Amino acid sequence: MPIDATRPYDDTNIFAHILRGELPCNKVYEDDHVLAFRDIRPLAPVHVLVIPKGAYVSWDDFSERAGADEIAAFVRAVGRIARDQGLVAPGYRLLANVGVDGGQEVPHLHVHLFGGGPLGPMLAR
Ligand code: 5GP
């Protein structure tokens, strides 16, 4: 069920459990502000979820409330992970679903990083 991205942050969401170490993840990157791990149901040969460690519901929430250090760390981490995964030359795709129309299911900001092969059209029609 897509979530309402205007609701306050709910720290019972699955990524909050992962951040607290209560659930495992297949980690690919971590720093003071960012955690990245493989999606449990990958939609491409490489499918990584990049999340801020702070409690932000969505891109909207993050862009409004996060500090400059958190935002810089997040943007740099996405680029670094893409480079580390060898995706710059072949290419890749970033996606952040927000709210009901975006089909966001987990109410903690995440950017999907897809790669490892041709990714097809931008959106299903
Ligand atoms: P959304 O639709 O919110 O943009 O994407 C949520 C993503 O989280 C989905 O691609 C889903 O497969 C992934 N996901 C949901 N639960 C877990 C989990 O427990 N572990 C991991 N690694 N990914 C999860």
Side-chain angles (χ1 to χ4, degrees):
M1 272 287 283
I3 62 100
D4 177 351
T6 68
R7 300 287 305 236
Y9 186 80
D10 172 5
D11 70 2
T12 65
N13 78 77
I14 201 92
F15 294 170
H17 286 290
I18 288 173
L19 280 168
R20 290 194 295 265
E22 295 160 2
L23 286 173
C25 71
N26 189 344
K27 182 166 72 178
V28 300
Y29 177 81
E30 181 170 18
D31 65 28
D32 287 349
H33 294 297
V34 181
L35 179 67
F37 49 90
R38 297 195 188 279
D39 197 291
I40 205 165
R41 290 185 293 275
L43 297 173
V46 177
H47 185 174
V48 173
L49 300 169
V50 189
I51 71 174
K53 289 187 172 177
Y56 301 104
V57 175
S58 69
W59 189 275
D60 179 72
D61 187 26
F62 186 64
S63 64
E64 192 173 28
R65 294 196 301 110
D69 53 343
E70 294 173 283
I71 292 172
F74 190 68
V75 173
R76 287 193 189 282
V78 171
R80 176 173 170 174
I81 294 159
R83 289 193 294 280
D84 289 352
Q85 297 289 318
L87 296 177
V88 177
Y92 61 96
R93 182 173 294 163
L94 303 176
L95 176 70
N97 295 318
V98 179
V100 175
D101 282 358
Q104 181 181 3
E105 301 222 324
V106 178
H108 183 114
L109 170 63
H110 48 286
V111 165
H112 297 258
L113 192 162
F114 299 109
L119 296 167
M122 187 161 59
L123 286 177
R125 288 280 178 199

